[in-house]
Amino acid sequence: MDIDVLTLGRRIRSIRQERGLTLEALGTAIKRAPSQISAIETGKREVRLSELQAFARLFGVSVDELLSDAPLSKRASLEVELERAQAGRIALALGLDPLPIRRSLSDEAIETILALYRELARIDSERAATPEEARRANTELRRAMRERDNYYAELEEQASALLTSVGHEDGPLSQRTAADIAAHLGLTLHYVRDLPVSTRSVVDRRHGRIYVPLAQSPDADPRSIILQTISSYVLGHEAPRDYAEFLLQRVETNYFTGALLIPELGAAKLMGAAQQRRALSVEDLRDAYGVSYETAAHRFTNLSTHHLGIPVHFLKVSESGVISKAYENDSVSFPTDALGAVEGQFVCRQWSARRVFDVEDRFSPYHQYTDKPVGTYWCTSRIQNTPLGTFSVSVGTAFEHAKWFAGRETTRRHTSTCPNGDCCRRPSEQLSARWAGASFPNARLHTSLHAAMPTGAFPGVDEVEVYEFLDRHAPAAPPEAPPAPSS
């Protein structure tokens, strides 16, 4: 059990003062030095179980009452918040010595100091939430994913245990089963028409409710929205401290959702059998589990290296050729900016992720070999229409591993010399001679081109709108909070 030593210490001090006991008197009663009692009350020393029981007996309360999460007095709450602020990253970075918290320090003074700390935290958050910071965080996250072959054993185990708890072993996960998972966790589903436009779902942790939109896009998978919300709850996500943590939470949520939709054991068995037949295909995962091609492609990258020994790469690319998502552990060379980030970079026109847009037949999988500066790669691509536009989703691997895949017999082969500009980014001399200086395109810019990343704990979410929404839908008599998810 995790004990908040600061809150516990302030509660002990508050009860001691209510009983009219001095530090010396309390120390004598439980056979501890006054300095030890003071250290406990200020949160500088953890309380042993025997001491906790001694405090409870002396005060005439239960141990549970001492450990209660009931609100402290206003003064005690202010002191706890100030203690935490003075021990936080900002105070340490500024080299500020902790201000002694004495009785002579008024509530108003503490509130003023806390207001300054909150403003410093807000400014620091705004400064960090820049496109540059986002790109650095993305680059670091991709490196971490590559180091573990995009396989998270601990998330696989948690997802498997949760599926077992509702009796789901394998095969397509129904929307009813998604609701059963929510019910198993003590959560209820509520479909609403007025969900805040900046959110996909909202969790009311106080009342154990999940709010999801009643009207959804025809391309949206209602199971995914429910499961992603459940995933964040099960994984114990709190408001992210920075953009890097926000991105990590998104990766963990998407991974856990994928592991629920496509259970590891069944998928690994299906993929292993296909490898033996030399007929691996992302489509098989898609069809066997009734998910989108992108979800199946993500899941393929989660399991292919760990279970099959096949390193792969994944790309989601817009119709204009810009990378939206990317992952690799097969040494393919993605285009990057000066910070090593790939998001927002243009993919070579010769790669399958771009060539697939030129194919009229969008119902059949598109396969291609591409000779690249780092070697030859085989890739399979699909077109996907979304509310945000049209994208290609691609999974590929080095030539030596193409032998395991359906579609390896394709005769499509292209050569890419990117990042050499002569490959596809620089017009030919003839085109340049005809049009240089005679054209002036009106660029379609992204609205965020000159903007910082959206600020706030959850970038882009309107907090006022969310709180007003929860107020509208909260039940009149709040029940007890649902039990915390087991790890």
Side-chain angles (χ1 to χ4, degrees):
M1 178 180 183
D2 292 331
I3 297 176
D4 184 343
V5 293
L6 267 177
T7 301
L8 174 59
R10 289 309 191 282
R11 198 176 301 283
I12 290 172
R13 174 190 285 177
S14 178
I15 298 175
R16 173 178 67 79
Q17 292 174 342
E18 287 175 5
R19 303 290 195 274
L21 296 170
T22 64
L23 286 172
E24 291 75 12
L26 180 55
T28 300
I30 69 166
K31 299 179 181 180
R32 292 290 183 272
S35 59
Q36 291 178 304
I37 302 298
S38 178
I40 288 173
E41 290 186 348
T42 56
K44 295 182 174 65
R45 178 179 177 278
E46 292 190 1
V47 186
R48 298 187 181 96
L49 179 59
S50 59
E51 294 172 332
L52 195 59
Q53 293 169 336
F55 282 126
R57 283 195 300 271
L58 181 65
F59 293 151
V61 300
S62 68
V63 171
D64 286 342
E65 286 179 87
L66 288 179
L67 297 176
S68 168
D69 58 359
L72 296 168
S73 66
K74 177 185 176 182
R75 173 69 185 198
S77 297
L78 288 173
E79 289 184 2
V80 168
E81 187 177 354
L82 183 55
E83 288 272 11
R84 287 181 175 143
Q86 294 190 133
R89 180 177 60 82
I90 290 176
L92 294 174
L94 293 173
L96 297 176
D97 293 328
L99 181 69
I101 303 176
R102 302 188 178 98
R103 287 187 180 182
S104 58
L105 188 64
S106 68
D107 290 3
E108 292 76 12
I110 295 178
E111 288 174 336
T112 299
I113 296 168
L114 287 173
L116 291 172
Y117 270 113
R118 292 179 193 127
E119 180 63 13
L120 285 172
R122 185 191 68 78
I123 293 172
D124 182 70
S125 175
E126 254 185 32
R127 183 175 57 194
T130 63
E132 178 179 331
E133 179 67 18
R135 292 197 300 273
R136 289 186 188 277
N138 257 322
T139 301
E140 177 59 26
L141 183 57
R142 282 193 299 105
R143 182 196 62 76
M145 292 165 66
R146 184 167 58 245
E147 284 183 352
R148 59 194 305 166
D149 293 325
N150 203 17
Y151 178 78
Y152 291 72
E154 65 279 14
L155 299 184
E156 298 286 358
E157 292 172 5
Q158 285 181 271
S160 177
L162 189 55
L163 290 173
T164 299
S165 69
V166 295
H168 183 79
E169 296 181 359
D170 198 21
L173 187 144
S174 67
Q175 192 167 346
R176 173 63 182 271
T177 304
D180 289 343
I181 292 174
H184 172 75
L185 296 169
L187 302 169
T188 56
L189 292 176
H190 300 266
Y191 293 86
V192 296
R193 298 182 185 277
D194 60 338
L195 195 74
V197 294
S198 60
T199 66
R200 298 183 68 203
S201 64
V202 173
V203 177
D204 177 352
R205 291 183 172 181
R206 178 174 299 161
H207 304 103
R209 292 180 160 206
I210 294 177
Y211 295 103
V212 291
L214 181 62
Q216 297 177 4
S217 164
D219 299 315
D221 185 341
R223 299 171 305 167
S224 291
I225 295 176
I226 295 171
L227 294 177
Q228 285 179 337
T229 308
I230 288 173
S231 296
S232 289
Y233 179 80
V234 171
L235 298 176
H237 288 162
E238 298 292 342
R241 292 165 294 184
D242 51 35
Y243 200 76
E245 186 171 356
F246 171 74
L247 289 178
L248 177 60
Q249 288 182 0
R250 290 292 294 270
V251 166
E252 290 178 341
T253 296
N254 289 334
Y255 191 107
F256 196 82
T257 299
L260 292 174
L261 288 169
I262 306 178
E264 178 182 19
L265 294 181
K269 182 178 179 180
L270 184 152
M271 293 168 65
Q275 184 182 28
Q276 289 183 349
R277 301 193 310 271
R278 298 187 176 230
L280 277 172
S281 169
V282 175
E283 279 83 359
D284 284 350
L285 276 184
R286 178 199 62 187
D287 297 340
Y289 292 95
V291 296
S292 69
Y293 186 84
E294 183 176 352
T295 297
H298 270 298
R299 201 71 181 120
F300 193 94
T301 68
N302 296 152
L303 304 176
S304 63
T305 307
H306 181 79
H307 286 282
L308 309 180
I310 301 175
V312 292
H313 65 267
F314 169 94
L315 275 171
K316 183 177 179 180
V317 176
S318 71
E319 198 164 11
S320 60
V322 174
I323 295 177
S324 173
K325 297 179 184 178
Y327 163 78
E328 62 81 19
N329 68 348
D330 60 357
S331 299
V332 72
S333 182
F334 291 143
T336 64
D337 63 13
L339 298 176
V342 301
E343 290 76 14
Q345 301 302 299
F346 281 93
V347 167
C348 177
R349 294 173 184 274
Q350 305 306 325
W351 288 22
S352 67
R354 296 285 299 276
R355 303 287 302 190
V356 67
F357 287 108
D358 298 328
V359 177
E360 290 186 12
D361 178 9
R362 296 197 170 185
F363 295 98
S364 303
Y366 177 87
H367 309 301
Q368 176 185 310
Y369 289 98
T370 309
D371 297 318
K372 303 175 182 178
V374 292
T376 298
Y377 286 79
W378 175 90
C379 200
T380 180
S381 301
R382 277 272 190 183
I383 298 296
Q384 176 174 286
N385 295 312
T386 77
L388 298 178
T390 302
F391 295 85
S392 68
V393 175
S394 307
V395 173
T397 190
F399 179 83
E400 62 187 287
H401 297 290
K403 62 186 178 183
W404 305 116
F405 288 81
R408 64 186 179 278
E409 68 283 352
T410 182
T411 57
R412 297 189 186 98
R413 190 161 190 154
H414 296 274
T415 299
S416 169
T417 60
C418 280
N420 184 336
D422 289 331
C423 177
C424 66
R425 297 300 303 278
R426 188 177 296 136
S428 67
E429 291 183 3
Q430 293 86 350
L431 280 174
S432 294
R434 284 198 298 272
W435 295 108
S439 67
F440 189 86
N442 185 12
R444 175 179 292 171
L445 300 182
H446 296 289
T447 56
S448 60
L449 182 65
H450 299 294
M453 298 301 298
T455 56
F458 301 94
V461 171
D462 187 329
E463 193 175 71
V464 174
E465 192 178 29
V466 170
Y467 289 173
E468 289 177 346
F469 167 83
L470 289 171
D471 253 358
R472 288 196 301 274
H473 289 273
E480 293 184 2
S486 57
S487 58

